[in-house]
Amino acid sequence: MEPTYPDNSEPTGLNRRALLRGGVVTGLGALVAAAPVFARPQATAAAAPGGPEPSAAELKLTKFKDPLRTPPVLRPRDHGGHDELTVRMVTADVTLHSELPPVTMWTYEGVYPGPTIETTSGRPLRVVWENRLTGNIPVTAVDFGLAKGPSPDPLTNYPGTDGCQEVPGVADLSPWAAVHVHGMLTGGGNDGWMENLIAPGDVQLSAYPNNQAATTLWYHDHTHHVSRFSVFAGLAGMFVSRNAEERALDLPKRDQEVPLLLSDRNFGLDASGALTGRLVHKVEMVGAQRLMRPHAGPYTLVNGVVWPYLEVEPRWYRFRIVNTANSRIYRLMLLADGRPVPGAFQVIGTDQGLIDKPVPVEGALNLSPGERAEVLVDFSAFRGQALKLVNTLQGVTPGAFDKRNDLLEPDVMQFRVTDRRPATRFTLPSVVSPTFTRVTHDDLPHDQPGRWVVLVGPGSANMPELWEMEEIDPAGITFPSAGIVQVQDAQGAVKTLRRTSMAYDDGNAFTAAHDGVEIWKYLNLAAAPHPMHIHLAHFQVLSRENYDIGGFDRVTRGSTRPVAFKSASVLEAHELGEKDVIRVGTAGQITAGPNGTPGELVTVAVRFPVVGRGVHHCHMLEHEQHMMRPLVVTPATHMHAMHAMHAMHTGGHH
């Protein structure tokens, strides 16, 4: 099963398959970057607006110098009742910026990001993921920190490893892999279980039903304990599913449908202070306890290009945006003349597909790691102008830097709007997906208790924790007690919750019924936000609420008084559709003080359309191994039989 490329995806004179067959692709990334077919066709205008700009002096690269690349497209071959595809993992040298030496990366098919896999919804897909990686992981992992607390200008803002120490064990990581198609509703045996690793020369065979809505997914490495380094090394790409409903919409297409895969990186320096192109994973360890801050790199990449530009016509565009960063939350704004463009983004799709109607974004579009959004943007009012897409923070002027919060260079990319009349006109549709419906009260289970997942700040292992909870009778409990949290809801009712599991290998996995619906409540008691991801499932967000978490004792690890409802929040535009990742906690600046960010309770209605063993976890990759728990979905009849047998053996029957 050879990979299938579109006719225009293979550079003239480049025998891609011959280069890939050897397992190591030296220089392919540079060839790909230089090949015209990988850059979007540039509009012919008398004088293009905008142009290159200097970045912060310490970063040494020019912004908006290189055009945005579009990843090549892989389309599977028809094999009768299903489609088939082979995707190879290879070590390759990739050009990320024209002023940066080629960067050695682990890739899918020799490019970063990997090729966009494009499929038709309803066509079952079988993929051979073939491991041809070579060498140890091409990442230098270092950390640094001050015993007295966080730095006001952390070294994560800058390239190089001066002032840092190497993280032991990373340099020797060999190329094992496990591929997860994030958001694909497939059984546990095909989900890319993170301990079912394949070595170089081996293959992972995965069958995907691919019967979900037209949507934007992504695929990435999911190796247990290692994903923060393997994804950083380059193992990520987009997966697109299309269907007849989407095609009938006549949305912007071809050059006006643009993928934007966001990520951040850092690079090494040589003895002279010049950038080497070596990937550097650098994190700050705060205080005497050495608490790890989530990774944040100073260089923003879009489709594998550092601070690119894109020439666009003065017309509507469709952007598929994926946050593939390890841990950085992107709060995206479009600026014209340095000022935000009101309602610039019209959200038409979320993680799991199109929504019923376009929803304008007021303020920033907040995407945490793993989240996706499809947006429409109208450039027609900006003929002959240059606009910037920026990452910003709450309380910071859009486009301004903030060193304390790892935002030395806020720019993401530049749009250069040509000064000419567009050839076609597009009208924003009043209805996007006529088949999408929001869940109602009648759709929800009212005869079973919901699941509680509590997110807590660093504990004895100096890492944040994920607690699975059960509701109990508070009689006889002394407060505060470790692992006991009381929650007072908007009606004043108090629930007492007891921790049942925390570590990945604790027993008592959540077990859900196939085709069932459950209510999950995520309560964040930590200072940082956490993007929570559920495998084998999809969900809709029911509510986002603010809670007073001052009653939680972080030393005792239990509540002295109930964590109490304060106010309801409004769901953001990209939270109104089907999801598989939800941010729990503020997307803005983490404020100083004993409790940091305000506490949040996010409630979701989860559906379980597939069966097997999966996981649920935080999608900040630096947190993943510490904030991950197994999840089992089983046929409802099996669950009933299990309960009956349990009752029999425990005295329910005599």
Side-chain angles (χ1 to χ4, degrees):
M1 290 183 285
E2 286 290 295
T4 306
Y5 290 90
D7 292 340
N8 70 341
S9 72
E10 191 158 319
T12 304
L14 173 62
N15 186 335
R16 240 186 121 69
R17 291 180 177 84
L19 282 170
L20 291 169
R21 202 166 284 128
V24 181
V25 187
T26 304
L28 177 58
L31 287 167
V32 166
V37 295
F38 285 90
R40 266 185 191 275
Q42 301 300 299
T44 55
E53 296 180 9
S55 65
E58 299 90 344
L59 299 182
K60 305 176 186 294
L61 296 180
T62 305
K63 294 185 295 188
F64 320 138
K65 182 175 181 181
D66 299 327
L68 181 75
R69 277 201 303 265
T70 302
V73 173
L74 271 175
R75 294 185 177 92
R77 284 196 172 94
D78 185 338
H79 200 270
H82 65 274
D83 292 339
E84 291 188 348
L85 186 64
T86 297
V87 181
R88 290 164 289 198
M89 291 168 266
V90 295
T91 303
D93 291 332
V94 182
T95 296
L96 305 182
H97 191 284
S98 57
E99 297 171 348
L100 185 70
V103 178
T104 300
M105 303 185 79
W106 283 354
T107 73
Y108 298 102
E109 293 292 342
V111 293
Y112 175 73
T116 297
I117 298 173
E118 185 170 309
T119 68
T120 298
S121 181
R123 288 283 302 170
L125 175 66
R126 298 178 186 175
V127 180
V128 178
W129 303 99
E130 186 174 326
N131 187 348
R132 294 192 179 186
L133 295 169
T134 58
N136 291 341
I137 197 163
V139 173
T140 298
V142 296
D143 62 32
F144 65 94
L146 302 174
K148 61 185 180 182
S151 168
D153 185 10
L155 295 176
T156 40
N157 284 319
Y158 309 105
T161 59
D162 284 353
C164 302
Q165 60 185 7
E166 186 171 355
V167 177
V170 178
D172 297 328
L173 288 173
S174 52
W176 294 85
V179 186
H180 170 55
V181 178
H182 179 123
M184 176 63 73
L185 300 175
T186 191
N190 296 289
D191 190 50
W193 183 258
M194 58 279 179
E195 291 158 325
N196 289 343
L197 304 179
I198 56 170
D202 200 355
V203 298
Q204 174 183 322
L205 305 175
S206 297
Y208 304 111
N210 199 29
N211 59 2
Q212 54 213 88
T215 191
T216 303
L217 310 179
W218 65 299
Y219 58 97
H220 60 85
D221 189 66
H222 210 262
T223 303
H224 199 35
H225 303 295
V226 174
S227 60
R228 65 189 183 275
F229 303 120
S230 58
V231 174
F232 190 79
L235 291 175
M238 183 180 282
F239 185 108
V240 171
S241 179
R242 300 188 185 274
N243 65 11
E245 178 183 272
E246 179 210 15
R247 293 188 183 99
L249 285 170
D250 200 27
L251 295 169
K253 58 178 71 74
R254 293 185 288 275
D255 287 346
Q256 283 74 49
E257 181 183 346
V258 184
L260 300 177
L261 288 89
L262 308 179
S263 62
D264 59 353
R265 293 293 187 274
N266 208 338
F267 305 108
L269 299 173
D270 65 17
S272 71
L275 289 164
T276 64
R278 173 72 176 183
L279 290 171
V280 172
H281 181 282
K282 185 192 303 188
V283 293
E284 182 178 12
M285 311 297 285
V286 177
Q289 288 180 281
R290 289 180 54 78
L291 306 178
M292 183 192 295
R293 289 183 65 204
H295 175 271
Y299 299 91
T300 296
L301 285 69
V302 188
N303 296 354
V305 182
V306 179
W307 304 313
Y309 71 87
L310 175 65
E311 283 193 16
V312 296
E313 297 180 17
R315 59 183 290 177
W316 285 89
Y317 279 71
R318 176 185 185 183
F319 295 103
R320 297 177 182 262
I321 310 176
V322 186
N323 183 352
T324 71
N326 275 35
S327 290
R328 186 184 288 276
I329 293 174
Y330 285 97
R331 300 186 72 252
L332 300 172
M333 286 188 174
L334 192 65
L335 305 187
D337 295 323
R339 294 186 296 273
V341 178
F345 304 116
Q346 294 278 344
V347 173
I348 61 168
T350 60
D351 296 349
Q352 286 283 331
L354 301 174
I355 56 177
D356 52 346
K357 60 184 179 181
V359 181
V361 174
E362 303 300 333
L365 175 64
N366 301 312
L367 293 181
S368 59
E371 284 190 291
R372 290 89 68 204
E374 290 192 46
V375 302
L376 298 177
V377 177
D378 184 9
F379 292 103
S380 61
F382 303 99
R383 286 178 59 175
Q385 298 183 49
L387 292 80
K388 284 184 181 180
L389 184 65
V390 301
N391 183 26
T392 187
L393 296 169
Q394 243 168 0
V396 176
T397 302
F401 68 86
D402 183 343
K403 291 183 178 180
R404 174 69 178 266
N405 289 286
D406 296 298
L407 199 64
L408 175 63
E409 184 49 76
D411 289 346
V412 173
M413 65 179 294
Q414 182 187 69
F415 294 101
R416 302 176 183 177
V417 188
T418 59
D419 188 8
R420 68 177 188 179
R421 188 177 301 277
T424 60
R425 292 191 177 277
F426 170 79
T427 301
L428 187 68
S430 58
V431 176
V432 178
S433 173
T435 59
F436 171 80
T437 56
R438 283 285 294 170
V439 294
T440 66
H441 178 82
D442 293 338
D443 299 321
L444 304 177
H446 301 288
D447 57 347
Q448 57 181 326
R451 308 276 191 186
W452 281 87
V453 178
V454 175
L455 314 173
V456 187
S460 58
N462 291 339
M463 291 296 293
E465 297 170 350
L466 180 155
W467 295 0
E468 293 178 350
M469 314 292 284
E470 65 178 0
E471 190 174 347
I472 60 168
D473 185 335
I477 296 176
T478 302
F479 295 95
S481 290
I484 304 291
V485 177
Q486 289 192 304
V487 182
Q488 185 177 44
D489 65 19
Q491 288 72 44
V494 175
K495 284 184 167 58
T496 302
L497 308 174
R498 176 174 60 195
R499 184 179 67 215
T500 58
S501 303
M502 178 176 65
Y504 167 70
D505 53 1
D506 285 347
N508 305 316
F510 280 176
T511 301
H514 178 228
D515 284 334
V517 180
E518 294 187 352
I519 303 300
W520 286 33
K521 291 180 177 291
Y522 287 107
L523 176 63
N524 189 7
L525 304 179
H530 296 280
M532 304 309 298
H533 174 44
I534 307 177
H535 290 223
L536 313 183
H538 57 133
F539 55 78
Q540 287 190 25
V541 187
L542 302 180
S543 63
R544 183 185 287 281
E545 299 170 321
N546 299 316
Y547 270 68
D548 175 2
I549 61 175
F552 180 74
D553 188 313
R554 296 187 175 191
V555 177
T556 307
R557 319 291 285 169
S559 46
T560 57
R561 66 176 191 274
V563 172
F565 173 85
K566 289 172 58 179
S567 60
S569 293
V570 177
L571 297 182
E572 298 175 29
H574 73 287
E575 296 174 343
L576 298 175
E578 294 289 340
K579 299 274 293 167
D580 54 58
V581 178
I582 184 63
R583 187 193 75 248
V584 186
T586 179
Q589 189 171 2
I590 297 175
T591 57
N595 291 319
T597 182
E600 276 202 337
L601 177 68
V602 175
T603 303
V604 300
V606 193
R607 296 183 181 89
F608 300 94
V610 294
V611 167
R613 185 175 178 86
V615 288
H616 66 103
H617 62 87
C618 175
H619 215 286
M620 285 185 169
L621 298 186
E622 281 68 39
H623 293 171
E624 192 175 72
Q625 97 182 58
H626 300 276
M627 300 182 73
M628 176 182 288
R629 287 283 299 142
L631 166 69
V632 176
V633 183
T634 191
T637 52
H638 290 208
M639 183 174 271
H640 296 153
M642 177 182 68
H643 290 159
M645 287 187 286
H646 177 75
M648 180 177 65
H649 289 295
T650 55
H653 298 285
H654 298 282

